[in-house]
Structures are given as C-alpha cells and as structure tokens.
Amino acid sequence: MSETGVNAMPDGIQPRNKNWIWLFVVMFSLAAIAAGINLTYNLKQQLTPEQLGNAKRLWEHTGLKDYDLVIKKDVAAGTDRSIKDVLRVTVRNRTVTDLQLNDQPLARRLWSQYDMDGWFGWLERNLEIDQQPKASRVFCVAHFDLEDGHIIKYVRSVRDTNERQELNIELKKP
C-alpha cells in the first residue's frame, strides 16, 4: 500500500481515465446542434399562407394581362413512378386562349385553371390540405418573382407517401 492514504491505488495499477466520456458528450451535442440548425433552416423555407398571399396580391396589382406560360411539371410517387409534363398556356386579356399538355390541346373547360390565377388557387388549396389537423407531414417551398409576384418554382413533398411535385414556371411576355 502506498503511504498516501486509503484512496491510493495499489502499486502498478493506474487509475482509469474517464476523459473519453467528454468526447461522446461533445459529439452528441454537436450532432444535436447540427440537427437543430437543419430543422430551423427547413422550417424557415416552408411556404406560408402569408408569403403566398403577398405574392398573389403583388400579381393582382402588377400582373400582366397578356403572357405565355411554359410549365414543367414533375410528379413522382414513390421511387418507381414519375410523370413529366410540359404545359403551354397562352393568356390574352387575362383569359386563357390556348392550352396544350405535351403538345396536345386540352379541353376548353379546363383552361381557366391554368392561368397564373389558377396556379395561385392550386397552391392555396394545397396549403389548406397540408394544414388540416390529421394531414401528412409536408415540405413545401415556393419562389415568386420579386417584380410581379408570379410563381417561378414550387416544390411539395409528402413524407408519408413519398410523393413529390415540382413546378417550374417560365412566364414570357409576348
């Protein structure tokens, strides 16, 4: 026994180093911080009714009467199915005058849904569905033109079904 007292270790035995515990504490803390930053970033990107309302009001205030839209729509349901469509919409005096899906004309009864106001309505309906109490968890982001408010890009992913919708909208002035 050592002369230093009761707590001394027997000769030849080293006390256990417990500094490794701090390594794991630091690693778990950094992982939690990284997850929190990622969650905060994603939540701030989420489309809100206020953002959509602001863009819609800007469009109504400064929107064009005559324009052409090229909408590239990509819908994926799970990993095995994907639909890619191109819609071409001609709008004159705020009325759709031509609508084609993949270079094929669509029925006139559908035309009113495909101008910019129709797309704003579609986004509003999706937001209402997503905010229902028992709705699936959804990631939804949209980009709007800063000058006139028209929709540039919209992405909506439903976690439970692995469904993903993406719209890329190009607005052209005639």
Side-chain angles (χ1 to χ4, degrees), residues 29-143:
S29 298
L30 290 174
I33 289 169
I37 289 171
N38 190 25
L39 178 64
T40 302
Y41 176 76
N42 283 332
L43 289 175
K44 286 188 177 192
Q45 283 188 55
Q46 286 280 84
L47 177 63
T48 65
E50 294 78 24
Q51 290 170 327
L52 182 58
N54 290 340
K56 186 177 179 182
R57 280 188 295 282
L58 182 58
W59 172 255
E60 289 169 352
H61 180 70
T62 62
L64 302 170
K65 291 182 179 182
D66 301 326
Y67 56 92
D68 298 327
L69 297 175
V70 177
I71 301 128
K72 294 178 182 172
K73 186 175 181 183
D74 187 2
V75 179
T79 56
D80 56 342
R81 295 183 303 168
S82 179
I83 300 168
K84 295 180 187 273
D85 289 323
V86 177
L87 292 140
R88 296 184 190 284
V89 185
T90 303
V91 178
R92 297 296 179 262
N93 201 24
R94 292 195 175 246
T95 303
V96 175
T97 60
D98 188 36
L99 172 61
Q100 295 188 3
L101 171 65
N102 300 325
D103 296 323
Q104 298 296 314
L106 283 178
R108 282 188 183 264
R109 63 183 170 76
L110 302 173
W111 286 13
S112 64
Q113 301 171 29
Y114 288 91
D115 63 356
M116 190 54 67
D117 293 328
W119 286 110
F120 274 114
W122 187 72
L123 267 64
E124 287 173 335
R125 285 188 298 281
N126 279 345
L127 273 178
E128 288 171 6
I129 291 167
D130 297 344
Q131 293 177 347
Q132 295 298 316
K134 293 187 179 185
S136 297
R137 218 162 126 197
V138 175
F139 176 76
C140 181
V141 62
H143 300 283

Side-chain angles (χ1 to χ4, degrees), residues 157-172:
S157 297
V158 182
R159 183 176 180 183
D160 295 344
T161 62
N162 289 331
E163 178 185 347
R164 183 176 190 279
Q165 302 170 348
E166 181 174 338
L167 296 177
N168 289 291
I169 300 176
E170 180 183 350
L171 184 138
K172 298 178 185 178

